Amino acid sequence: MSTNEIKILLNRLFPIHRCLAGSANRETLKIIGEYIPLSILEIPSGSKVYDWEVPNEWVINDAWIKNSKGIKIVDINRSNLHVVGHSIPVHQHLSFTDISKHLHYLPDMPDAIPWRTSYYQPQWGFCLSYNDFSKLFNHNETFEVMIDSEHKSGSMSIGEVLIPGKTTQEILLSTYICHPSMANDNVSGMVLLTFLAKFLLDKICYHSYRILFLPETIGAIAYCAMHEETIKKINTGLIISTVGGPGPFGYKQSWQSNHSINRIIEDVLHQNHEEFLTYPFDIHGSDERQFSSQAFRVNVSSITKDKYYEYKAYHTSQDNLDFVKPEYIAESFDIYKKVINMLDMDLTFRNTNPWCEVMLGKRGLYPNIGGAQVHRAVNSNTAYNSRDAMLWLLHFCDGSRSLFHISLDTGFPIRLLFDAAIELENQGVLQLCATSDNVS
Ligand code: ZN
């Protein structure tokens, strides 16, 4: 994957006026589907999903404000962010005082257009820069406002790819597709996950990967409601969001800070000599809120480059293609790839011969001449060797501890344990478990 390929997809997805449900989301998934074999789930409007209801599709045909001379001073054709997302239709003449109640701007960022939505309250509104508001809205004028929109029954679209691995031990990779025309939040997430899925499709994976493109919150809730047993069995996961800014790497911890996913991310960032920020788990954020909720308790983290909430351009028109660069997404992709390579090795095995010691010699896995070898004590400075790795694996692998935990207990690098485990598996001494419990 080259930065040019990233740029092409970034430029194609950026202009689309996405919302929670509608044709723009289907168009987004159609483009992503040109890269990876997406299955599309359409969930009918009005479906009850736990405490929520799937919204109607939002159709936005046109939106503008004209001044008393009939000149369009705000026009959706100049920016998708100009209209409050999910606005109801309106066509009225209003005084300055009345129209002001429907205008959103940021005095501390006078050039930026904020992004605002009203998903669940029937309202309408416009967003504009504070400079435009100050310059174009005269207190004595009357303004004509027009929003040509519809809320129609249809369906909410979710894109999914399931990449089967050698086991059904499953890792979730999810991003959201409901934001219009903002590059870091979250076209960068969609682009990175598309290329990550491509990478996994070309790789021989041990884990299975469940890859989701869904509207934030309501999409994740609906997916959980429809796949309850599947989500409960997921080992761990990553929400891919805000991965393309110029700022530092950061990662938001999963709900159990000592879970292997967090340790693996930290190891990878350290090995990459990256300065990074650590954000403890928080009840605010993205779809980790749903997957970590009481019924599911999946440990889901996020690696970010200019994390949502933290950068100034967040949820404004300044989160654009000048702010996000393909090179930054490529850097994040590299980190995600390394984390996934590590996660993929974190498998759970069971010793098929738990009755006393397995005879490695007859399988060609032990030196034929006894008495000469140096044994490596746990945490000693003696070099690691694969024979001791095998002995530790045979001691610990009982179907309840993943290689990551055995690595912590023994000090052996996970890669060495993984290679030894695969060799033992080839000899039939270890057996890959279908699933591991979610021990932290
Ligand atoms: Zn957002």
Side-chain angles (χ1 to χ4, degrees):
M1 176 214 53
S2 66
T3 49
N4 195 44
E5 286 173 286
I6 294 177
K7 188 178 177 180
I8 290 167
L9 185 55
L10 196 56
N11 286 340
R12 288 182 76 188
L13 295 177
F14 182 81
I16 302 172
H17 197 154
R18 283 165 289 269
C19 56
L20 293 182
S23 60
N25 294 27
R26 280 188 276 276
E27 186 188 343
T28 297
L29 294 175
K30 190 163 173 274
I31 292 171
I32 294 169
E34 292 174 23
Y35 291 76
I36 52 174
L38 270 189
S39 305
I40 307 293
L41 241 94
E42 293 287 351
I43 307 172
S45 310
S47 301
K48 300 268 185 278
V49 285
Y50 298 133
D51 210 25
W52 297 61
E53 195 172 296
V54 173
N56 281 337
E57 293 186 19
W58 185 55
V59 182
I60 178 76
N61 299 315
D62 202 4
W64 45 256
I65 303 174
K66 286 181 183 171
N67 64 13
S68 53
K69 294 191 187 96
I71 297 165
K72 279 186 190 171
I73 50 175
V74 179
D75 185 351
I76 196 175
N77 292 316
R78 289 184 211 130
S79 168
N80 287 335
L81 306 192
H82 273 319
V83 67
V84 169
H86 284 234
S87 278
I88 56 172
V90 64
H91 191 187
Q92 286 177 3
H93 288 81
L94 295 171
S95 67
F96 175 82
T97 310
D98 287 336
I99 200 170
S100 294
K101 294 170 196 158
H102 296 274
L103 301 181
H104 305 268
Y105 43 82
L106 300 168
D108 59 333
M109 288 179 71
D111 291 325
I113 305 165
W115 178 54
R116 296 288 178 267
T117 60
S118 182
Y119 292 142
Y120 300 103
Q121 294 293 324
Q123 294 183 38
W124 64 268
F126 283 88
C127 304
L128 68 165
S129 72
Y130 182 68
N131 284 344
D132 277 356
F133 170 71
S134 311
K135 201 168 62 192
L136 302 171
F137 283 78
N138 193 322
H139 289 228
N140 320 316
E141 268 188 280
T142 299
F143 301 89
E144 184 182 356
V145 296
M146 202 287 296
I147 297 178
D148 176 5
S149 66
E150 292 169 64
H151 291 76
K152 63 168 197 186
S153 184
S155 59
M156 177 176 72
S157 314
I158 290 176
E160 178 179 31
V161 189
L162 183 62
I163 304 175
K166 290 193 172 180
T167 72
T168 51
Q169 296 181 32
E170 211 173 275
I171 294 173
L172 172 78
L173 301 172
S174 180
T175 195
Y176 47 92
I177 57 162
C178 50
H179 287 35
S181 306
M182 283 170 291
N184 199 30
D185 186 22
N186 190 39
V187 180
S188 70
M190 291 186 264
V191 170
L192 193 147
L193 186 53
T194 303
F195 287 110
L196 209 51
K198 251 175 100 64
F199 160 74
L200 287 167
L201 283 159
D202 291 340
K203 174 178 151 71
I204 297 166
C205 300
Y206 279 87
H207 284 80
S208 298
Y209 290 85
R210 188 168 295 270
I211 294 170
L212 301 176
F213 295 83
L214 37 71
E216 201 171 24
T217 308
I218 184 65
I221 291 170
Y223 190 87
C224 286
M226 295 168 71
H227 300 81
E228 222 167 62
E229 293 312 310
T230 302
I231 301 291
K232 281 181 190 167
K233 286 189 208 141
I234 286 173
N235 281 20
T236 187
L238 292 160
I239 302 292
I240 292 126
S241 161
T242 49
V243 291
F249 279 107
Y251 93 103
K252 179 182 173 182
Q253 295 182 324
S254 70
W255 72 280
Q256 288 173 302
S257 59
N258 62 345
H259 190 269
S260 53
I261 180 99
N262 302 315
R263 308 281 285 269
I264 286 171
I265 291 171
E266 287 195 12
D267 280 357
V268 168
L269 288 168
H270 278 305
Q271 282 162 19
N272 246 51
H273 308 292
E274 296 288 351
E275 294 274 317
F276 64 92
L277 301 162
T278 302
Y279 303 98
F281 180 77
D282 182 63
I283 44 147
H284 303 287
S286 188
D287 289 328
E288 67 282 359
R289 292 174 298 143
Q290 317 311 333
F291 301 121
S292 309
S293 64
Q294 283 194 29
F296 303 108
R297 288 298 194 228
V298 183
N299 272 276
V300 181
S301 307
S302 282
I303 308 160
T304 54
K305 190 158 162 40
D306 268 320
K307 182 181 173 290
Y308 55 85
Y309 302 156
E310 305 289 326
Y311 61 101
K312 199 154 184 246
Y314 170 70
H315 280 188
T316 75
S317 57
Q318 291 179 356
D319 184 350
N320 56 26
L321 296 173
D322 293 326
F323 181 70
V324 165
K325 299 269 184 267
E327 296 74 27
Y328 306 148
I329 298 178
E331 284 176 47
S332 294
F333 177 80
D334 188 50
I335 298 289
Y336 269 92
K337 207 170 71 174
K338 286 175 176 162
V339 166
I340 283 173
N341 282 336
M342 290 280 282
L343 283 175
D344 204 49
M345 287 190 279
D346 187 21
L347 293 161
T348 304
F349 292 86
R350 180 177 285 106
N351 183 347
T352 57
N353 290 271
W355 307 278
C356 301
E357 205 169 301
V358 172
M359 194 178 182
L360 293 177
K362 72 177 183 191
R363 295 175 172 86
L365 299 172
Y366 207 83
N368 288 330
I369 307 292
Q373 69 268 30
V374 178
H375 297 285
R376 184 187 183 281
V378 170
N379 296 326
S380 78
N381 291 323
T382 318
Y384 298 107
N385 66 68
S386 59
R387 188 199 59 245
D388 279 0
M390 286 182 188
L391 292 173
W392 279 117
L393 288 168
L394 292 169
H395 177 73
F396 276 125
C397 287
D398 60 1
S400 74
R401 299 159 85 80
S402 74
L403 295 188
F404 176 80
H405 295 100
I406 298 172
S407 164
L408 285 185
D409 287 333
T410 61
F412 276 68
I414 192 167
R415 189 172 294 278
L416 185 65
L417 290 172
F418 172 78
D419 290 341
I422 296 302
E423 193 159 355
L424 288 173
E425 195 215 3
N426 290 338
Q427 298 284 344
V429 182
L430 285 187
Q431 187 181 46
L432 259 172
C433 299
T435 55
S436 65
D437 53 13
N438 282 323
V439 281
S440 59

